[in-house]
Amino acid sequence: MKLKSITRAMLLSIAAAGAAAPHANAGSKVPPVAQPAASKAQRENERLATAYMADIRAALDAAAAAAKEDEQDFPATPEYSRNLYDFLYEAPLYEKLVKATFALGDVSGGALHAYYLSHVPKQELIAKLVPQAMKIVSPELAANMLKIVREPAYGKRARIQLAAMGGAGGESGTLSAEEQKTLVRIDAEPAALKFRKLEPRLEQLVRSAVIAARSELELKLASEALAALAKMQSEIPAAGASGRPAAIHTIGFEPWDQFIRASGNCNNRIALAFHRYNKDLAELKYFELVKSVSVVGRQNYQEAAGLIDKAEDALATALTALDAAIREREREVRASAFARFPLFRSQQDGVTAGLYTFAGDLGESYRNMFSAQRRLLAYLEQHKEQARIEGGKLVFEDDALVAEVNELLKRVTETAREVDAVVDRQAERDEAAMTRARANLEKAAK
């Protein structure tokens, strides 16, 4: 059997790709942002992932070894196939083993097991088991065991046992004296005795099939979650431009949906905060009125200085909203089912730190730009008698003044570019996280 599984490390890698933040400059793109896991946490993720995969491989190897014992090649007649299918369907093997198998390394708090039971028909798995079970259970034994499992007392005992295990299909109750007497007779029948001998091999058969089905389901859900995150991030720029929140694309599996919503809500809050910031700057006519040519031509030095102050105040409001969005994301992520997994929380702490670093760097780069603009404005006001506008250009008679102003203009340009660079660096980190997640999924699918 080809082993397919999504590891814990992959889950965390995908989870790292869930944060996005917009650029506050008017007309700029709104790239996604994420922080990769710390190296120590990543090493621990890989260690646990290796142990988890070792558990699965051990179960599969045991099933493979058991399947080779006394294998026979019985003719697959329609009656034999039908009896074996009905026996496997009605026997409690499936219900007994599914929950235990899904509990192995599960970080979803049991949600994966519940999702499997509600989305993957039992008939689908049983149909896959029949060809393999034919190598273990003879046509005669299949027919006899089908009669046994259809005995009311046998079925009642199985349901009581399932209830005690917390398995699906269980029921509370006790066996009457007559039912117990019937079960003593059933358990002594040759077919029942032979079945008990084969039962461990059948259990391994079911367990390996459930492991494979679970791994396929994990891979499917992870792929859908990654696609949903990528689609949501691709729509954030439009939210930043229009002021209308981007759609949050959930997949119907609550643990992933909790994380997708947390990321989506954060992205939208940040995008809308900077949409409002851009709108504030546009209403101030900031980019028009603080240009050197405009200031010298209008002689509005004090007005321009006031505009820079207002722009910085508006930035502070936007950064406060960004901080609130990050805090809310952290709260929502910690309330998710995956937060039961300590390394997931550690990973998300790294994402949160990355978002705060982005917010701090973005605020600092903007303030550096505002500071450079103030220095230029003060210099222009100090030398306003020597400056004039000709042909839409700023002109000074003194070459030394021209050199000074050009240096100040250069600094304004550099600080403005650094605002872009802060966002671009984060975009590169996020793209790297998405690339790693996609690579992990592709590797697991092979």
Side-chain angles (χ1 to χ4, degrees):
M1 177 185 296
K2 183 182 290 186
L3 180 64
K4 295 182 179 180
S5 179
I6 173 172
T7 65
R8 298 179 183 189
M10 184 195 308
L11 183 150
L12 297 180
S13 177
I14 293 173
H23 188 179
N25 276 350
S28 296
K29 62 181 180 179
V30 188
V33 179
Q35 176 73 16
S39 58
K40 183 177 180 181
Q42 181 63 30
R43 288 195 298 272
E44 180 64 7
N45 293 345
E46 293 172 354
R47 184 189 69 78
L48 285 181
T50 300
Y52 167 56
M53 294 301 295
D55 289 343
I56 289 181
R57 287 193 181 94
L60 294 176
D61 290 345
K68 293 180 180 179
E69 297 178 8
D70 303 323
E71 285 187 358
Q72 300 184 59
D73 189 14
F74 299 108
T77 65
E79 181 182 9
Y80 175 33
S81 298
R82 184 174 61 255
N83 286 341
L84 189 52
Y85 175 91
D86 290 345
F87 161 61
L88 291 171
Y89 190 89
E90 297 182 32
L93 281 170
Y94 171 88
E95 288 80 3
K96 285 169 59 179
L97 294 173
V98 165
K99 183 173 183 179
T101 303
F102 269 75
L104 179 65
D106 183 20
V107 297
S108 69
L112 189 66
H113 172 238
Y115 185 95
Y116 179 83
L117 292 179
S118 62
H119 287 75
V120 181
K122 178 179 177 180
Q123 296 90 327
E124 180 179 313
L125 182 65
I126 299 300
K128 293 179 180 179
L129 291 175
V130 169
Q132 301 174 63
M134 282 183 171
K135 299 177 181 180
I136 301 173
V137 182
S138 69
E140 180 183 5
L141 182 58
N144 290 333
M145 284 307 302
L146 180 58
K147 293 178 183 178
I148 288 176
V149 298
R150 285 177 172 172
E151 288 274 0
Y154 187 97
K156 182 176 180 179
R157 180 176 65 181
R159 291 190 297 275
I160 291 173
Q161 291 172 342
L162 287 175
M165 295 171 56
E171 68 176 40
S172 59
T174 57
L175 295 167
S176 66
E178 186 63 28
E179 288 169 331
Q180 293 179 25
K181 182 178 178 181
T182 299
L183 288 170
V184 169
R185 174 184 58 79
I186 289 174
D187 291 341
E189 291 184 10
L193 294 172
K194 188 170 184 178
F195 172 71
R196 277 200 295 276
K197 183 179 179 181
L198 295 175
E199 191 170 15
R201 292 172 61 189
L202 280 173
E203 287 185 352
Q204 286 288 6
L205 180 68
V206 176
R207 184 177 292 110
S208 64
V210 173
I211 287 173
R214 168 189 160 163
S215 297
E216 291 174 2
L217 178 61
E218 287 179 311
L219 187 63
K220 171 181 174 291
L221 292 173
S223 298
E224 291 177 358
L226 184 60
L229 288 167
K231 182 172 177 59
M232 177 182 63
Q233 290 187 172
S234 72
E235 295 173 356
I236 286 296
S242 68
R244 293 187 294 274
I248 297 176
H249 306 280
T250 54
I251 65 171
F253 179 62
E254 189 57 22
W256 273 122
D257 288 347
Q258 289 172 322
F259 178 76
I260 291 169
R261 284 194 295 268
S263 298
N265 289 336
C266 180
N267 294 348
N268 275 325
R269 292 179 186 118
I270 294 173
L272 297 182
F274 280 100
H275 171 79
R276 288 190 292 271
Y277 180 53
N278 290 336
K279 187 176 179 181
D280 289 343
L281 294 182
E283 290 175 353
L284 291 171
K285 297 182 179 179
Y286 177 81
F287 294 105
E288 174 187 344
L289 297 180
V290 299
K291 288 181 179 178
S292 300
V293 171
S294 175
V295 171
V296 173
R298 294 170 181 266
Q299 295 291 296
N300 63 334
Y301 298 99
Q302 295 306 312
E303 178 189 5
L307 285 175
I308 295 174
D309 291 341
K310 290 179 181 178
E312 192 159 15
D313 289 342
L315 173 67
T317 299
L319 291 175
T320 298
L322 192 155
D323 178 83
I326 298 171
R327 290 180 184 276
E328 185 64 13
R329 180 190 184 280
E330 182 180 19
R331 186 191 68 77
E332 291 176 358
V333 166
R334 286 185 174 273
S336 71
F338 286 145
R340 296 183 178 93
F341 185 29
L343 289 180
F344 178 85
R345 296 198 302 271
S346 174
Q347 174 79 8
Q348 291 310 301
D349 287 344
V351 174
T352 299
L355 286 171
Y356 278 125
T357 297
F358 166 76
D361 290 348
L362 186 65
E364 183 180 3
S365 63
Y366 262 107
R367 293 185 188 101
N368 288 339
M369 185 182 73
F370 293 143
S371 178
Q373 288 175 328
R374 286 191 177 96
R375 287 196 296 272
L376 173 62
L377 183 62
Y379 192 87
L380 291 175
E381 184 175 16
Q382 181 182 354
H383 299 90
K384 61 184 177 181
E385 301 300 332
Q386 289 85 26
R388 66 181 186 276
I389 304 299
E390 287 185 4
K393 295 182 179 180
L394 183 59
V395 177
F396 289 89
E397 295 295 341
D398 190 334
D399 289 343
L401 292 179
V402 171
E404 288 288 342
V405 170
N406 282 339
E407 280 298 315
L408 291 169
L409 284 168
K410 179 181 177 183
R411 179 56 183 161
V412 171
T413 300
E414 289 173 347
T415 54
R417 287 175 178 168
E418 180 56 28
V419 173
D420 290 329
V422 169
V423 177
D424 290 342
R425 286 194 295 270
Q426 291 294 85
E428 290 171 1
R429 293 188 182 101
D430 185 73
E431 183 58 32
M434 278 290 189
T435 299
R436 286 194 301 273
R438 292 188 183 100
N440 283 332
L441 285 174
E442 291 173 0
K443 182 178 179 180
K446 293 179 179 178

